[in-house]
Amino acid sequence: MAGAAQQPLPIVVLISGHGSNLEAIIEANRRSELPVDIRAVICNRPDAGGIEISRQAGIETRIIDHTRYADRAGFDAALQTAIDAYNPGLVVLAGFMRILTPGFVDHYRGRLINIHPSLLPEFPGLNTHQRALDAGRQVAGATVHFVTAETDGGPAFLQVQVAVQENDTAETLAERVLQHEHRLYPEAIRRVAEGRIALDEKDRVLCDGIPLETACLLEPDVASGT
Ligand code: GRF
């Protein structure tokens, strides 16, 4: 609505690695293209590169090392307590490499999203790029989806397509897809933050109030011609 100031959506971002998607989210937020308040970044690996990105940005950064917990349930309980202290409207998995327990996933139902580097439902899990190449795919990509107990299986709502090139290896393809993830994830989060995307009680994604049949496609990037 014109003139109505929108409150930024409080989010917590979970990472395990390089944090390049986190960086893309931070940058989009800085450019005022993403109406979120990044309350905290939580990382399960003390040596992850993304920790420095988060600290440099002045974001509250916590490390919860999963190896210090006897089991998955213990780690997830500690993680949940830490997240809930920030009262987020959305929890963003950005390269968070842990399988989450059903209880944790249920607790954040409709406010937990993930990015996966394939055109889901194809190639869930690991080694997605090599599997796409082995299957002879000419188009690869990435998907943002709500998280359910099924790994990489929750309702998808935004995808980006990336052309496979003849001489691609899993590494070159991964690198190119990752560049597009950096456009995709901020845009997906923006749509949730603006209330345009939501999960209904039947696990359907509503886009502007209408159930989505399939995930939307992000427009090609005019600048790079992709
Ligand atoms: C990305 O490819 C993401 O899709 C996958 O893990 C990778 C994380 O990269 N889930 P980064 O840590 O954001 O650089």
Side-chain angles (χ1 to χ4, degrees), residues 28 33-34 157-158 181-192 194 196 218-219:
E33 293 169 6
L34 185 53
F157 61 93
L158 195 61
E181 291 183 45
H182 299 161
R183 294 196 295 127
L184 176 69
Y185 217 4
E187 174 60 21
I189 296 167
R190 189 172 67 82
R191 292 184 192 191
V192 177
E194 290 178 350
R196 296 185 50 204
L218 192 66
E219 307 74 37

Side-chain angles (χ1 to χ4, degrees), residues 150-169:
E150 189 191 341
T151 305
D152 301 325
F157 61 93
L158 195 61
Q159 295 186 313
V160 64
Q161 294 185 339
V162 179
V164 175
Q165 294 173 1
E166 217 173 313
N167 52 358
D168 260 333
T169 62

Side-chain angles (χ1 to χ4, degrees), residues 205-212:
V205 176
L206 301 181
C207 178
D208 296 326
I210 297 163
L212 271 187

